[in-house]
Amino acid sequence: MPVRGEVNRIERCLDAVLAQDWPADRLEIIVVDGAPDDGTATAAERVLATRSEVRSEVVANPGGGRGANLNRGLHEASGSIVCRVDARSALPPGYIAACVEVLQDPTVAVVGGAQVAVAPETGAKAAGIGRGLNNRLAMGMARYRRATGSGPTDTVYLGAFRRSELDAAGGWDESLEINEDFDLNRRMIAFGTVWFDSRLAVSYLARDSVAAVGRQYWTFGRWKVRYLRRRREGPRLRQAVGLAVLPGLALVLIAVGRRPRRLRVPLLLAASGATLAAEALGASPGGASPTLRTRAWSVITCATVVASWSAGAWWELVTGERNADG
């Protein structure tokens, strides 16, 4: 578990790990702290001290990024199967057992599940942010972002691996601040299938403001372009659609601005209706019917995600280094 600045979330995450339907004497927890002075390590040690029968360790790795922290944890781990966990996540009780079960199949190299955003607090705004981050259309229709059956995929949320194969693949690329899981899964296919298991729905604590979500997805967009350049790959269909959002939005605004004034309001109303329809169509099935205010915040969150990702990607395309390996 790589951590940095997670003092307010580490207890929730560790409680979920400790509540696994798995023998305590066969469980090992390695927390690697990239910022040892921020209080996260102390909070983690306090939780882990309540379960002395579970082998655990909190490792300081000052200044370590996510990839470096993951590799340090891999170095410290002794198990034959390694589960990658994030401090914002909460594993369902049967997570480890299901991962071990699937990895008994030698043709499967990686198994993981869905990321299900949950509101960080109560209220319509927080609920809307969580709903927006679960919107399948806004999140690009990646398999781990939508409700779907189990099967092969290109990447999963978190992931569990056989230790020997993870070592052979070289672990996580420490030069990638974002996209390190996708990169690893691409390399792991040399050992077998990347498998999405629909039982592994992991709750993920969403950011607490739309502005924070925007910054997050701006960074995601930039790093996706950096990754594609480094690997000399073209964008996938869902990424190409995301890239088209910013110029498409600009064309729509230009078109609306050039229409006669009497048509501008109907056009804007039509665009708003289409946005609401997309929000409803992309929403995950089930759950209580949201309030209008929650749905409004969901629309704002969806728009922020898509526009921020697209803007970040275009910014990197225009201003970023052409030769990422140099």
mmCIF file of all heavy atoms in Angstrom, residues 205-239:
data_model
loop_
_atom_site.group_PDB
_atom_site.id
_atom_site.type_symbol
_atom_site.label_atom_id
_atom_site.label_comp_id
_atom_site.label_asym_id
_atom_site.label_seq_id
_atom_site.Cartn_x
_atom_site.Cartn_y
_atom_site.Cartn_z
ATOM 1 N N LEU A 205 -12.703 6.487 -2.409
ATOM 2 C CA LEU A 205 -13.116 7.742 -1.807
ATOM 3 C C LEU A 205 -12.810 8.898 -2.767
ATOM 4 O O LEU A 205 -11.643 9.201 -3.043
ATOM 5 C CB LEU A 205 -12.379 7.944 -0.485
ATOM 6 C CG LEU A 205 -13.035 8.834 0.565
ATOM 7 C CD1 LEU A 205 -14.400 8.288 0.955
ATOM 8 C CD2 LEU A 205 -12.143 8.933 1.792
ATOM 9 N N ALA A 206 -13.865 9.518 -3.277
ATOM 10 C CA ALA A 206 -13.708 10.573 -4.279
ATOM 11 C C ALA A 206 -13.097 11.829 -3.679
ATOM 12 O O ALA A 206 -13.113 12.039 -2.458
ATOM 13 C CB ALA A 206 -15.071 10.903 -4.887
ATOM 14 N N ARG A 207 -12.573 12.702 -4.545
ATOM 15 C CA ARG A 207 -12.111 14.015 -4.102
ATOM 16 C C ARG A 207 -13.307 14.796 -3.558
ATOM 17 O O ARG A 207 -14.451 14.544 -3.907
ATOM 18 C CB ARG A 207 -11.476 14.780 -5.256
ATOM 19 C CG ARG A 207 -10.231 14.133 -5.882
ATOM 20 C CD ARG A 207 -9.138 13.937 -4.856
ATOM 21 N NE ARG A 207 -7.835 13.657 -5.435
ATOM 22 C CZ ARG A 207 -7.359 12.456 -5.738
ATOM 23 N NH1 ARG A 207 -8.114 11.398 -5.538
ATOM 24 N NH2 ARG A 207 -6.146 12.300 -6.219
ATOM 25 N N ASP A 208 -13.024 15.761 -2.686
ATOM 26 C CA ASP A 208 -14.114 16.438 -1.990
ATOM 27 C C ASP A 208 -14.577 17.727 -2.656
ATOM 28 O O ASP A 208 -15.417 18.447 -2.112
ATOM 29 C CB ASP A 208 -13.731 16.713 -0.533
ATOM 30 C CG ASP A 208 -12.463 17.556 -0.426
ATOM 31 O OD1 ASP A 208 -11.942 18.011 -1.457
ATOM 32 O OD2 ASP A 208 -11.994 17.753 0.716
ATOM 33 N N SER A 209 -14.062 18.067 -3.832
ATOM 34 C CA SER A 209 -14.517 19.259 -4.545
ATOM 35 C C SER A 209 -14.378 19.048 -6.040
ATOM 36 O O SER A 209 -13.539 18.247 -6.499
ATOM 37 C CB SER A 209 -13.713 20.495 -4.123
ATOM 38 O OG SER A 209 -12.392 20.443 -4.633
ATOM 39 N N VAL A 210 -15.183 19.756 -6.804
ATOM 40 C CA VAL A 210 -15.105 19.669 -8.263
ATOM 41 C C VAL A 210 -13.758 20.204 -8.747
ATOM 42 O O VAL A 210 -13.166 19.678 -9.695
ATOM 43 C CB VAL A 210 -16.268 20.445 -8.911
ATOM 44 C CG1 VAL A 210 -16.103 20.508 -10.432
ATOM 45 C CG2 VAL A 210 -17.604 19.781 -8.560
ATOM 46 N N ALA A 211 -13.240 21.251 -8.084
ATOM 47 C CA ALA A 211 -11.937 21.793 -8.472
ATOM 48 C C ALA A 211 -10.841 20.746 -8.313
ATOM 49 O O ALA A 211 -9.958 20.623 -9.184
ATOM 50 C CB ALA A 211 -11.620 23.022 -7.627
ATOM 51 N N ALA A 212 -10.892 19.968 -7.225
ATOM 52 C CA ALA A 212 -9.894 18.919 -7.013
ATOM 53 C C ALA A 212 -10.027 17.833 -8.076
ATOM 54 O O ALA A 212 -9.021 17.297 -8.557
ATOM 55 C CB ALA A 212 -10.048 18.328 -5.618
ATOM 56 N N VAL A 213 -11.261 17.500 -8.447
ATOM 57 C CA VAL A 213 -11.484 16.534 -9.528
ATOM 58 C C VAL A 213 -10.895 17.065 -10.834
ATOM 59 O O VAL A 213 -10.238 16.337 -11.589
ATOM 60 C CB VAL A 213 -12.984 16.232 -9.687
ATOM 61 C CG1 VAL A 213 -13.250 15.442 -10.963
ATOM 62 C CG2 VAL A 213 -13.515 15.477 -8.478
ATOM 63 N N GLY A 214 -11.117 18.354 -11.108
ATOM 64 C CA GLY A 214 -10.576 18.953 -12.324
ATOM 65 C C GLY A 214 -9.060 18.876 -12.363
ATOM 66 O O GLY A 214 -8.477 18.521 -13.406
ATOM 67 N N ARG A 215 -8.399 19.176 -11.264
ATOM 68 C CA ARG A 215 -6.932 19.087 -11.217
ATOM 69 C C ARG A 215 -6.461 17.654 -11.421
ATOM 70 O O ARG A 215 -5.468 17.396 -12.119
ATOM 71 C CB ARG A 215 -6.423 19.621 -9.878
ATOM 72 C CG ARG A 215 -6.575 21.128 -9.709
ATOM 73 C CD ARG A 215 -5.822 21.637 -8.494
ATOM 74 N NE ARG A 215 -6.365 21.122 -7.246
ATOM 75 C CZ ARG A 215 -7.326 21.722 -6.546
ATOM 76 N NH1 ARG A 215 -7.878 22.848 -6.998
ATOM 77 N NH2 ARG A 215 -7.749 21.210 -5.401
ATOM 78 N N GLN A 216 -7.195 16.710 -10.827
ATOM 79 C CA GLN A 216 -6.844 15.305 -10.966
ATOM 80 C C GLN A 216 -6.889 14.862 -12.430
ATOM 81 O O GLN A 216 -5.948 14.219 -12.922
ATOM 82 C CB GLN A 216 -7.804 14.459 -10.119
ATOM 83 C CG GLN A 216 -7.541 12.970 -10.174
ATOM 84 C CD GLN A 216 -8.584 12.182 -9.399
ATOM 85 O OE1 GLN A 216 -9.680 12.662 -9.117
ATOM 86 N NE2 GLN A 216 -8.263 10.950 -9.044
ATOM 87 N N TYR A 217 -7.966 15.222 -13.119
ATOM 88 C CA TYR A 217 -8.121 14.751 -14.497
ATOM 89 C C TYR A 217 -7.302 15.555 -15.500
ATOM 90 O O TYR A 217 -6.939 15.042 -16.566
ATOM 91 C CB TYR A 217 -9.606 14.662 -14.865
ATOM 92 C CG TYR A 217 -10.185 13.402 -14.285
ATOM 93 C CD1 TYR A 217 -10.697 13.371 -12.991
ATOM 94 C CD2 TYR A 217 -10.139 12.213 -14.996
ATOM 95 C CE1 TYR A 217 -11.158 12.201 -12.425
ATOM 96 C CE2 TYR A 217 -10.612 11.039 -14.443
ATOM 97 C CZ TYR A 217 -11.110 11.030 -13.161
ATOM 98 O OH TYR A 217 -11.549 9.853 -12.609
ATOM 99 N N TRP A 218 -6.978 16.793 -15.177
ATOM 100 C CA TRP A 218 -6.009 17.542 -15.979
ATOM 101 C C TRP A 218 -4.664 16.786 -15.962
ATOM 102 O O TRP A 218 -4.031 16.587 -17.008
ATOM 103 C CB TRP A 218 -5.866 18.948 -15.404
ATOM 104 C CG TRP A 218 -4.635 19.703 -15.837
ATOM 105 C CD1 TRP A 218 -3.402 19.652 -15.257
ATOM 106 C CD2 TRP A 218 -4.519 20.634 -16.921
ATOM 107 N NE1 TRP A 218 -2.528 20.481 -15.914
ATOM 108 C CE2 TRP A 218 -3.180 21.094 -16.937
ATOM 109 C CE3 TRP A 218 -5.409 21.115 -17.872
ATOM 110 C CZ2 TRP A 218 -2.713 22.015 -17.864
ATOM 111 C CZ3 TRP A 218 -4.945 22.043 -18.799
ATOM 112 C CH2 TRP A 218 -3.627 22.474 -18.804
ATOM 113 N N THR A 219 -4.258 16.359 -14.779
ATOM 114 C CA THR A 219 -3.006 15.606 -14.648
ATOM 115 C C THR A 219 -3.090 14.274 -15.377
ATOM 116 O O THR A 219 -2.142 13.860 -16.052
ATOM 117 C CB THR A 219 -2.684 15.372 -13.161
ATOM 118 O OG1 THR A 219 -2.637 16.633 -12.491
ATOM 119 C CG2 THR A 219 -1.353 14.663 -12.994
ATOM 120 N N PHE A 220 -4.233 13.579 -15.256
ATOM 121 C CA PHE A 220 -4.416 12.316 -15.976
ATOM 122 C C PHE A 220 -4.251 12.510 -17.482
ATOM 123 O O PHE A 220 -3.612 11.707 -18.158
ATOM 124 C CB PHE A 220 -5.805 11.734 -15.692
ATOM 125 C CG PHE A 220 -5.949 11.104 -14.331
ATOM 126 C CD1 PHE A 220 -7.187 10.672 -13.895
ATOM 127 C CD2 PHE A 220 -4.868 10.949 -13.489
ATOM 128 C CE1 PHE A 220 -7.343 10.086 -12.643
ATOM 129 C CE2 PHE A 220 -5.004 10.367 -12.232
ATOM 130 C CZ PHE A 220 -6.244 9.927 -11.815
ATOM 131 N N GLY A 221 -4.865 13.576 -18.019
ATOM 132 C CA GLY A 221 -4.769 13.833 -19.448
ATOM 133 C C GLY A 221 -3.343 14.077 -19.892
ATOM 134 O O GLY A 221 -2.894 13.553 -20.923
ATOM 135 N N ARG A 222 -2.607 14.876 -19.125
ATOM 136 C CA ARG A 222 -1.210 15.163 -19.468
ATOM 137 C C ARG A 222 -0.374 13.888 -19.456
ATOM 138 O O ARG A 222 0.410 13.630 -20.375
ATOM 139 C CB ARG A 222 -0.627 16.187 -18.505
ATOM 140 C CG ARG A 222 -1.249 17.567 -18.605
ATOM 141 C CD ARG A 222 -0.422 18.605 -17.883
ATOM 142 N NE ARG A 222 0.870 18.783 -18.535
ATOM 143 C CZ ARG A 222 1.807 19.626 -18.117
ATOM 144 N NH1 ARG A 222 1.594 20.354 -17.023
ATOM 145 N NH2 ARG A 222 2.951 19.735 -18.761
ATOM 146 N N TRP A 223 -0.545 13.083 -18.403
ATOM 147 C CA TRP A 223 0.278 11.893 -18.294
ATOM 148 C C TRP A 223 -0.109 10.815 -19.291
ATOM 149 O O TRP A 223 0.736 9.991 -19.673
ATOM 150 C CB TRP A 223 0.255 11.355 -16.865
ATOM 151 C CG TRP A 223 1.292 12.048 -16.030
ATOM 152 C CD1 TRP A 223 1.130 13.153 -15.245
ATOM 153 C CD2 TRP A 223 2.677 11.709 -15.943
ATOM 154 N NE1 TRP A 223 2.313 13.518 -14.665
ATOM 155 C CE2 TRP A 223 3.286 12.652 -15.071
ATOM 156 C CE3 TRP A 223 3.463 10.702 -16.497
ATOM 157 C CZ2 TRP A 223 4.644 12.609 -14.758
ATOM 158 C CZ3 TRP A 223 4.817 10.667 -16.180
ATOM 159 C CH2 TRP A 223 5.383 11.597 -15.332
ATOM 160 N N LYS A 224 -1.351 10.796 -19.736
ATOM 161 C CA LYS A 224 -1.720 9.834 -20.771
ATOM 162 C C LYS A 224 -0.975 10.136 -22.063
ATOM 163 O O LYS A 224 -0.461 9.220 -22.733
ATOM 164 C CB LYS A 224 -3.232 9.858 -21.005
ATOM 165 C CG LYS A 224 -3.700 8.904 -22.105
ATOM 166 C CD LYS A 224 -3.295 7.462 -21.831
ATOM 167 C CE LYS A 224 -4.086 6.853 -20.709
ATOM 168 N NZ LYS A 224 -3.764 5.389 -20.539
ATOM 169 N N VAL A 225 -0.882 11.407 -22.417
ATOM 170 C CA VAL A 225 -0.143 11.780 -23.626
ATOM 171 C C VAL A 225 1.348 11.461 -23.455
ATOM 172 O O VAL A 225 1.994 10.943 -24.372
ATOM 173 C CB VAL A 225 -0.353 13.275 -23.952
ATOM 174 C CG1 VAL A 225 0.591 13.728 -25.060
ATOM 175 C CG2 VAL A 225 -1.801 13.506 -24.371
ATOM 176 N N ARG A 226 1.895 11.765 -22.296
ATOM 177 C CA ARG A 226 3.309 11.452 -22.056
ATOM 178 C C ARG A 226 3.557 9.952 -22.192
ATOM 179 O O ARG A 226 4.561 9.521 -22.774
ATOM 180 C CB ARG A 226 3.725 11.911 -20.655
ATOM 181 C CG ARG A 226 3.781 13.413 -20.482
ATOM 182 C CD ARG A 226 4.246 13.778 -19.083
ATOM 183 N NE ARG A 226 4.139 15.211 -18.850
ATOM 184 C CZ ARG A 226 4.495 15.817 -17.727
ATOM 185 N NH1 ARG A 226 4.967 15.098 -16.722
ATOM 186 N NH2 ARG A 226 4.372 17.117 -17.596
ATOM 187 N N TYR A 227 2.639 9.164 -21.650
ATOM 188 C CA TYR A 227 2.787 7.715 -21.717
ATOM 189 C C TYR A 227 2.737 7.232 -23.169
ATOM 190 O O TYR A 227 3.566 6.428 -23.602
ATOM 191 C CB TYR A 227 1.687 7.032 -20.903
ATOM 192 C CG TYR A 227 1.696 5.530 -21.063
ATOM 193 C CD1 TYR A 227 2.573 4.744 -20.329
ATOM 194 C CD2 TYR A 227 0.844 4.904 -21.973
ATOM 195 C CE1 TYR A 227 2.606 3.371 -20.488
ATOM 196 C CE2 TYR A 227 0.865 3.534 -22.136
ATOM 197 C CZ TYR A 227 1.748 2.772 -21.394
ATOM 198 O OH TYR A 227 1.789 1.417 -21.570
ATOM 199 N N LEU A 228 1.748 7.713 -23.924
ATOM 200 C CA LEU A 228 1.616 7.277 -25.308
ATOM 201 C C LEU A 228 2.834 7.673 -26.134
ATOM 202 O O LEU A 228 3.284 6.917 -27.000
ATOM 203 C CB LEU A 228 0.342 7.869 -25.922
ATOM 204 C CG LEU A 228 -0.977 7.337 -25.338
ATOM 205 C CD1 LEU A 228 -2.160 8.091 -25.926
ATOM 206 C CD2 LEU A 228 -1.124 5.836 -25.580
ATOM 207 N N ARG A 229 3.375 8.856 -25.875
ATOM 208 C CA ARG A 229 4.581 9.267 -26.588
ATOM 209 C C ARG A 229 5.770 8.372 -26.232
ATOM 210 O O ARG A 229 6.543 7.972 -27.096
ATOM 211 C CB ARG A 229 4.911 10.719 -26.248
ATOM 212 C CG ARG A 229 4.133 11.726 -27.084
ATOM 213 C CD ARG A 229 4.549 13.131 -26.731
ATOM 214 N NE ARG A 229 3.975 14.086 -27.677
ATOM 215 C CZ ARG A 229 3.824 15.367 -27.422
ATOM 216 N NH1 ARG A 229 4.191 15.860 -26.249
ATOM 217 N NH2 ARG A 229 3.313 16.178 -28.322
ATOM 218 N N ARG A 230 5.894 8.109 -24.950
ATOM 219 C CA ARG A 230 7.020 7.288 -24.509
ATOM 220 C C ARG A 230 6.954 5.902 -25.124
ATOM 221 O O ARG A 230 7.986 5.344 -25.534
ATOM 222 C CB ARG A 230 7.020 7.193 -22.989
ATOM 223 C CG ARG A 230 8.102 6.291 -22.437
ATOM 224 C CD ARG A 230 8.135 6.335 -20.921
ATOM 225 N NE ARG A 230 8.424 7.676 -20.435
ATOM 226 C CZ ARG A 230 8.596 7.956 -19.149
ATOM 227 N NH1 ARG A 230 8.497 6.995 -18.251
ATOM 228 N NH2 ARG A 230 8.856 9.183 -18.774
ATOM 229 N N ARG A 231 5.768 5.339 -25.198
ATOM 230 C CA ARG A 231 5.604 3.989 -25.752
ATOM 231 C C ARG A 231 5.396 4.005 -27.270
ATOM 232 O O ARG A 231 5.261 2.955 -27.876
ATOM 233 C CB ARG A 231 4.405 3.299 -25.076
ATOM 234 C CG ARG A 231 4.563 3.115 -23.578
ATOM 235 C CD ARG A 231 5.686 2.147 -23.257
ATOM 236 N NE ARG A 231 5.771 1.889 -21.821
ATOM 237 C CZ ARG A 231 6.721 2.358 -21.030
ATOM 238 N NH1 ARG A 231 7.672 3.133 -21.542
ATOM 239 N NH2 ARG A 231 6.732 2.075 -19.747
ATOM 240 N N ARG A 232 5.363 5.215 -27.831
ATOM 241 C CA ARG A 232 5.150 5.378 -29.283
ATOM 242 C C ARG A 232 3.885 4.655 -29.740
ATOM 243 O O ARG A 232 3.880 3.879 -30.690
ATOM 244 C CB ARG A 232 6.378 4.880 -30.054
ATOM 245 C CG ARG A 232 7.618 5.744 -29.799
ATOM 246 C CD ARG A 232 8.826 5.240 -30.574
ATOM 247 N NE ARG A 232 9.927 6.174 -30.467
ATOM 248 C CZ ARG A 232 10.809 6.203 -29.471
ATOM 249 N NH1 ARG A 232 10.695 5.307 -28.491
ATOM 250 N NH2 ARG A 232 11.785 7.081 -29.434
ATOM 251 N N GLU A 233 2.812 4.914 -29.024
ATOM 252 C CA GLU A 233 1.509 4.324 -29.333
ATOM 253 C C GLU A 233 0.513 5.414 -29.666
ATOM 254 O O GLU A 233 0.660 6.561 -29.241
ATOM 255 C CB GLU A 233 0.981 3.528 -28.129
ATOM 256 C CG GLU A 233 1.832 2.346 -27.736
ATOM 257 C CD GLU A 233 1.266 1.613 -26.521
ATOM 258 O OE1 GLU A 233 0.152 1.960 -26.087
ATOM 259 O OE2 GLU A 233 1.938 0.707 -26.010
ATOM 260 N N GLY A 234 -0.514 5.049 -30.433
ATOM 261 C CA GLY A 234 -1.608 5.962 -30.702
ATOM 262 C C GLY A 234 -2.693 5.814 -29.650
ATOM 263 O O GLY A 234 -2.718 4.826 -28.898
ATOM 264 N N PRO A 235 -3.594 6.777 -29.538
ATOM 265 C CA PRO A 235 -4.669 6.686 -28.551
ATOM 266 C C PRO A 235 -5.670 5.597 -28.905
ATOM 267 O O PRO A 235 -5.896 5.307 -30.083
ATOM 268 C CB PRO A 235 -5.319 8.071 -28.607
ATOM 269 C CG PRO A 235 -5.027 8.565 -29.987
ATOM 270 C CD PRO A 235 -3.677 8.012 -30.347
ATOM 271 N N ARG A 236 -6.261 4.986 -27.889
ATOM 272 C CA ARG A 236 -7.363 4.054 -28.103
ATOM 273 C C ARG A 236 -8.625 4.851 -28.436
ATOM 274 O O ARG A 236 -8.652 6.072 -28.280
ATOM 275 C CB ARG A 236 -7.563 3.191 -26.859
ATOM 276 C CG ARG A 236 -6.319 2.368 -26.558
ATOM 277 C CD ARG A 236 -6.511 1.363 -25.459
ATOM 278 N NE ARG A 236 -5.331 0.494 -25.431
ATOM 279 C CZ ARG A 236 -5.371 -0.820 -25.255
ATOM 280 N NH1 ARG A 236 -6.528 -1.414 -25.083
ATOM 281 N NH2 ARG A 236 -4.270 -1.538 -25.249
ATOM 282 N N LEU A 237 -9.669 4.140 -28.840
ATOM 283 C CA LEU A 237 -10.884 4.828 -29.266
ATOM 284 C C LEU A 237 -11.410 5.742 -28.183
ATOM 285 O O LEU A 237 -11.751 6.904 -28.437
ATOM 286 C CB LEU A 237 -11.948 3.807 -29.668
ATOM 287 C CG LEU A 237 -13.313 4.391 -30.069
ATOM 288 C CD1 LEU A 237 -13.170 5.320 -31.268
ATOM 289 C CD2 LEU A 237 -14.307 3.269 -30.369
ATOM 290 N N ARG A 238 -11.487 5.259 -26.939
ATOM 291 C CA ARG A 238 -12.053 6.083 -25.862
ATOM 292 C C ARG A 238 -11.174 7.303 -25.586
ATOM 293 O O ARG A 238 -11.673 8.353 -25.180
ATOM 294 C CB ARG A 238 -12.263 5.254 -24.593
ATOM 295 C CG ARG A 238 -11.019 4.691 -23.943
ATOM 296 C CD ARG A 238 -11.387 3.941 -22.666
ATOM 297 N NE ARG A 238 -10.249 3.442 -21.919
ATOM 298 C CZ ARG A 238 -9.789 2.205 -21.991
ATOM 299 N NH1 ARG A 238 -10.396 1.331 -22.799
ATOM 300 N NH2 ARG A 238 -8.750 1.829 -21.278
ATOM 301 N N GLN A 239 -9.862 7.169 -25.801
ATOM 302 C CA GLN A 239 -8.961 8.300 -25.605
ATOM 303 C C GLN A 239 -9.076 9.295 -26.761
ATOM 304 O O GLN A 239 -9.017 10.511 -26.548
ATOM 305 C CB GLN A 239 -7.526 7.794 -25.458
ATOM 306 C CG GLN A 239 -7.315 6.958 -24.200
ATOM 307 C CD GLN A 239 -6.185 5.968 -24.317
ATOM 308 O OE1 GLN A 239 -5.482 5.900 -25.326
ATOM 309 N NE2 GLN A 239 -5.982 5.176 -23.271
#
